[in-house]
Structure formats: C-alpha cells, structure tokens
Amino acid sequence: MTTAVSVEAEVLAALATVLDPELDQPVTELGFVRSVTIDDAGVEVHLRLPTSFCAPNFAFLMVSDAHDALAAVPGLGRIRVFLDDHHDSDKINSGMAAGAGYVGTFGAEAQDSLDELRRTFQRKAHLAAVERCCRSVLAGGAWTLEELPLLELFDLPEGPLKSALLRRREAVGLPTTSHSRVLVDHDGTAVAKADSALWLRLAAATRVSIEGNAHFCRGLLATRYGDADADPVITNTRSRS
C-alpha cells in the first residue's frame, strides 16, 4: 500500500532532480516549487520564478523537465505542471497542455533547441565542478598547480565535491572511471600543463558567475514572494487503499 507520505516524498524527490539550467541547482532548493496538489486524478504542480521576465527558454525547460521527472514516477496518474506569474505563462502552460514542445509553443521565437541550451549549461556546470575540486586539492597542499594535469578521479577525496563532479561528467558524456583525468575539456581532451593556470582562471570565472546568479535570484525571489525559503504548499486528498 502506498501511503500519503510516500506519495508526497516521491513527488518531491522527482522534483528535486529538476535543475535550473543556468544556476545548476534543484528547483526545490531554490524555492521555485510553489505548490503540489495530489488527488485521485493525479498530481498538479505550480512553479514560480524570481521575476516575470526570466528567459522563456529557461522557464519552458524547467516546466518540461518537471513534467518528465514526475511522469517517470509510477502510479501518480495525470501529471500537470504550470508556471505562475511569468509574462509567457499562458503560452507555456498552453503549449505544455497540448504537448507542443518548445518549438511548437514558441514557433519562430524558438531560436535554439532546448537540447543545445541544456548542453551549454551542462558544460558550464561541469567546468565549475572541476574548478571546485581542483581548488580543494590545491588548498589541501597535496597537489601543486603544475601537477594538476595529472590529477585523476581516483585522487579526489570522497565527498560532495567529487560526487557533484561525477554527476556533471555523466551529464556531458565523460567517463567516470577511477583513472580518468580531472582536468579535461568537454570533449575529454586533457588540458595541457602550460594551459592549466589559465584554464582554471576561466573555470573560476564560470563558477563565480553561476554562484553569483544563484544568490541574485534567491534575493529576487524573496523580494517578490517573501517566502523563498518556505517549503512548497502540499495538498494531498488522494484516497488511501
């Protein structure tokens, strides 16, 4: 028997896999999940964003990813995901309801595919994850900047930084075997020793940009709604059997 608590937990766990493509953080941690309603028909989720003018492609990507994540959970029933308070909410919600996809929803406005957008931000997230791991091992004193091109996944201490890097490598299609080099580009080509310092500076700039944008968006969300740190409102009226 599936209990009400386990259904709620499954829904939230599924939504936690949905990332803001630019901020590389789960929508659940960012406060973007406004409400979840569970009933005998299925699940309805409302998302919100820091401003009404957040990029429509980002917005559509998050709504679409949330729908797909929930659809992968067995037994939830009908899945509906809505975007609230955005200048393109009506267009996005109508497109999602019709299953029109991004191009079908935005037509000529859809300049690039969502797949390419996703790849762009996955690569940025990978770059930032590499920089965090390298910065950590340099701070530990066991490795020098000149030795970093030889650093392998095996050499990284177990923990959240390594786990995050492994997830990012999987996302961009890089190997996660123990003896894979850490300092590689998005195609898996090792960074040359002569280029490692410059490469890390560029990676650090990417990381700072991601973290700064995340902090900025949290502030905007808190200003807009006042409850950015609150958990989503969850209503469950599903009959138990």
Side-chain angles (χ1 to χ4, degrees), residues 47-200:
L47 301 179
R48 63 186 184 180
L49 294 173
T51 72
S52 64
F53 49 85
C54 289
N57 51 359
F58 293 177
F60 190 93
L61 184 61
M62 281 183 277
V63 174
S64 178
D65 284 355
H67 184 280
D68 291 346
L70 292 169
V73 180
L76 288 186
R78 182 184 63 186
I79 306 298
R80 294 192 298 173
V81 181
F82 297 96
L83 179 64
D84 297 342
D85 307 332
H86 189 272
H87 69 81
D88 273 330
S89 283
D90 290 344
K91 181 180 289 189
I92 290 172
N93 294 337
S94 296
M96 286 295 300
Y102 176 62
V103 174
T105 299
F106 285 96
E109 298 176 55
Q111 297 178 354
D112 299 307
S113 72
L114 286 184
D115 288 340
E116 184 57 35
L117 176 70
R118 193 190 309 276
R119 282 192 291 271
T120 296
F121 285 104
Q122 285 173 338
R123 290 166 182 159
K124 288 185 177 181
H126 167 248
L127 190 61
V130 171
E131 193 273 341
R132 291 187 186 101
C133 286
C134 288
R135 185 160 45 92
S136 176
V137 298
L138 288 174
W143 290 77
T144 65
L145 181 61
E146 291 72 22
E147 294 170 330
L148 277 186
L150 301 177
L151 185 70
E152 298 178 348
L153 293 177
F154 173 81
D155 299 308
L156 296 177
E158 298 299 326
L161 291 181
K162 182 176 181 178
S163 296
L165 175 59
L166 293 177
R167 290 196 300 272
R168 304 300 181 261
R169 288 178 70 103
E170 288 176 355
V172 297
L174 293 177
T176 57
T177 53
S178 296
H179 294 293
S180 299
R181 294 286 176 90
V182 173
L183 212 60
V184 297
D185 64 18
H186 306 309
D187 297 321
T189 303
V191 175
K193 180 179 179 180
D195 298 330
S196 59
L198 176 60
W199 197 90
L200 277 180

Side-chain angles (χ1 to χ4, degrees), residues 30 48 50 216-229:
L30 290 166
R48 63 186 184 180
F216 181 63
C217 285
R218 287 179 188 276
L220 288 175
L221 190 73
T223 300
R224 189 179 192 195
Y225 292 107
D227 62 348
D229 293 328

